[in-house]
Amino acid sequence: MSTGVRRRMGVEERRQQLIGVALDLFSRRSPDEVSIDEIATAAGISRPLVYHYFPGKLSLYQAALRRAAEDLAGRFAEPHEGPLGTRLLRVMRRYFDFVDEHGPGFSALMRGGPAVSAEGAGAKEHVSATNALIDSVRQAAYEQILAHLGVTDASARLELVVRSWISLAESTALLWLDGRRIPRAELELKLVHDFAALAAVSAAYDEDMARLLRTMVKDEPADGPFAELAGRLISLAS
Amino acid sequence: MSTGVRRRMGVEERRQQLIGVALDLFSRRSPDEVSIDEIATAAGISRPLVYHYFPGKLSLYQAALRRAAEDLAGRFAEPHEGPLGTRLLRVMRRYFDFVDEHGPGFSALMRGGPAVSAEGAGAKEHVSATNALIDSVRQAAYEQILAHLGVTDASARLELVVRSWISLAESTALLWLDGRRIPRAELELKLVHDFAALAAVSAAYDEDMARLLRTMVKDEPADGPFAELAGRLISLAS
């Protein structure tokens, strides 16, 4: 603190501080490797005091996960202005920012189910709470995309395109984290293109999807990501 | 048995029979809902005898999962003959056969991490063993696809296309199981098209991928899945 005086925190303030410290540690290494002692040291308090606020590592992990989930869901919010491709590209940039900030923790969580594997009673509840959080983030992403497409009641085919693309974005991010062999900016743009490509494949066989695709690309500028891809694909085909 | 006489099984034969019975039950309902009593009844033996062969439900579930994983990996094997699109379509048919046969068990496993959530000691080992099995199936699929493409040393971009498409196939199958609102034959063909589309997006920005794509489509017949998609996309664009 700038005054150099150690101020006594309120209960809720201390809880929030602990969650922040824990999230930072759970993000930078595989959460299984982070101990309560380490969290206590990083927060500048004693181990028993951590237990005063959270019954155990599992509940602290759950709280950190909830904060991360809210943070990530918030990054999907994007003003309804300008070309769709550009909006999606901005969201992809914030998504990769998040993945970058929380790399090892994100990886452990998405690869191995719950990254803090619970032993003993409560393991089942932990698995379902964790899965429910992951699903809530996917659902937030799904609803944001539908809102940008101006669709309130998605057809089964549109739902498939959007939801399966969301899983493609997850696996692309996980593959990126594993060695970072491709620049992330390339992958952010690739995912925007992948979305257009998957929508086009669906539109090739479904009149509703074709109508939606036409609306999607109608206002795209000639230098936007969708038009650029189309131009490159045409020159590839010839 | 056709003779009506109850033959005494050998140890390994009995184990294999139990695995088969358990796999069948774990496939048809969420594995968490299947009891050892039920497995014993379906196998026509006593509950203590089940425990004689397997220490608990978890080890029986693991054995059933191993058999299912080998079965699924085997379905990716496809003769290296004829157009690539047609080969991939045949593999997709067998993949959806598998998903169809093991629906609820597949869903529980892929959605919730391990479908039999272990309580108590051994939970962690169970999670890693289950994840290793799922990864081995993904790896088998990945290697089969590379072999069909005639590639031994995949570039980072090709690896990304193939592995992220495999996750797309998983999420498409899971979405299909949730209500079966789209005919599976349509999804089998869609996934073949998705593969081509994701490869084309990558090829639009990468010369190595472009070369590979040209090799891929060179021998495709005019009535194959790749040519059909291209034709439809061209008419959609105009």
Side-chain angles (χ1 to χ4, degrees), chain A residues 160 197-198 201-202 204-205, chain B residues 78 83-96 145 149 161-162 165-166 168-170 172-173 184-201 213 216-217 220-221 223-230 233:
Chain A
L160 182 78
L198 295 177
V201 166
S202 194
Y205 287 82
Chain B
E78 169 71 25
L84 284 170
T86 317
R87 294 183 214 171
L88 190 55
L89 185 56
R90 275 195 296 263
V91 172
M92 286 299 97
R93 284 200 185 121
R94 291 196 297 268
Y95 177 62
F96 271 82
I145 291 172
L149 295 175
V161 166
V162 176
W165 176 82
I166 290 169
L168 190 77
E170 283 173 20
T172 299
R184 54 169 271 195
E186 181 180 329
L187 297 180
E188 291 157 13
L189 182 61
K190 180 183 182 316
L191 281 167
V192 174
H193 290 153
D194 288 345
F195 184 83
L198 295 177
V201 166
L213 189 67
M216 258 174 72
V217 300
E220 291 302 302
D223 61 347
F226 289 159
E228 191 192 293
L229 174 67
L233 286 176

Side-chain angles (χ1 to χ4, degrees), chain A residues 37-49:
Chain A
D37 281 326
E38 222 175 324
I39 295 168
T41 306
I45 61 175
S46 69
R47 183 188 160 92
L49 197 52

Side-chain angles (χ1 to χ4, degrees), chain A residues 157 167 171 186 205 228, chain B residues 157 167 171 181 186 205 228:
Chain A
R157 284 167 186 82
S167 87
S171 57
E186 180 180 330
Y205 287 82
E228 191 192 292
Chain B
R157 284 167 185 83
S167 86
S171 57
R181 290 179 295 155
E186 181 180 329
Y205 287 82
E228 191 192 293

